[in-house]
Amino acid sequence: MGGWETYVRKVEPYVPGEQPKHKVIKLNTNENPYPPSPKVQKIIDEFDAQQLRLYPDPEVSELIAAIAKNKGLDKEQVFVGVGSDDVLAMSFLTFFGSEQPILFPDITYSFYDVWAELFHIPYEQIPLQEDFRICVDDYKRKNGGIVIPNPNAPTGIAESLDAIEEIIAANPDSVVIIDEAYVDFGTKSAQELLKTYENLLVVQTFSKSRSLAGSRIGYAMGSKKLIAYLNDCKYSFNSYTMDRLTIQVGKASMEDEPYFTEQVHRIIETREWAKEQLHKLGFDFPDSKANFIFARHKEIAAEDIFAALKQRNIYVRYFKKTRIDNYLRITIGTKEEMEQLMTALQEILQEA
Ligand SMILES: *Cc1c(COP(=O)(O)O)cnc(C)c1O
């Protein structure tokens, strides 16, 4: 490659899960099987297109106020972005300027290394232990920042808040990001540590537990100092990140706590039922606290099960990657969808 191509920023992009155009049982991208709050529907039904003539509020004040109120934080402690992917990318850009490598697990959300490459941030992927758990002592070395998802993806394993705190406490000279995309499905949030640690950023999303993956809303919670730095970078990049309708949608969702709690509990209940069923079918898996189960079969290869399910129009996620290429990541759907999955698995295992 020569000429102008020499100076192109070359990256190997993140590959999102498939979004098939035909109707399938979709258990491959950890979306929520239930609709968003009826209050969200009402906002959309009543939205006046006239409003779109004007730019949206660059400060996203109404949504930030709703999040801050729900979480018991000051408004200056909340940052909002277009999905937590946007929040995380902005955080990498803002906080990871060291020459030292940033640290994250080898098996984790596969966007972290993509952002590190994109922004030319040195990084080191720390191998998880044999059982896919994090070894806290591995994060007590010189570094330029740390990202830990809790629960981790795609394993579903949640680490204790004590373990998370030990990592933060050991790294006062780095920003530590805890990516809590799945926290609402039964893990203790690191939010309570914010009062102790100025260098902690907790990132959450509306995509999974609030059924709003299509709206793209994510947020970060941190010290006022961290959030101010994030805003400086955001305003240097794109000031109007969130559109007018989405701001109202997010606010309505955040304000409907009873609906949120009910949906999340339904998913947890179905997850626990699915664990029993998968065990009976000969699968094993780490104990998941997320809205998916990361499972392998004791006899049949994951790749074969993945293909056979796809043929039956049931989509799950398969990563052809060392250490995890015999696992399937199965999103928790409705009880009915999960029953259909179990029936299909039973057939596939019998035929094999
Ligand atoms: C889904 C997910 C995200 C991104 O979600 P958004 O839809 O961009 O909010 C971030 N981190 C992890 C670990 C995820 O699984």
Side-chain angles (χ1 to χ4, degrees), residues 298-334:
K298 56 181 190 294
E299 284 152 19
I300 321 290
E303 198 169 11
D304 296 338
I305 302 174
F306 170 76
L309 283 173
K310 195 164 178 179
Q311 233 171 21
R312 288 168 165 79
N313 277 322
I314 301 178
Y315 282 46
V316 298
R317 193 86 189 261
Y318 173 69
F319 300 95
K320 208 175 175 71
K321 223 168 144 176
T322 35
R323 290 191 79 184
I324 57 168
D325 60 0
N326 200 28
Y327 284 84
L328 297 172
R329 194 195 66 190
I330 306 166
T331 303
I332 305 302
T334 61

Side-chain angles (χ1 to χ4, degrees), residues 47 51-52 54-57 242-249:
F47 188 76
Q51 282 196 50
L52 297 181
L54 304 173
Y55 279 110
D57 171 19
M242 186 162 286
D243 67 83
R244 283 176 169 268
L245 177 57
T246 303
I247 292 171
Q248 295 307 319
V249 159

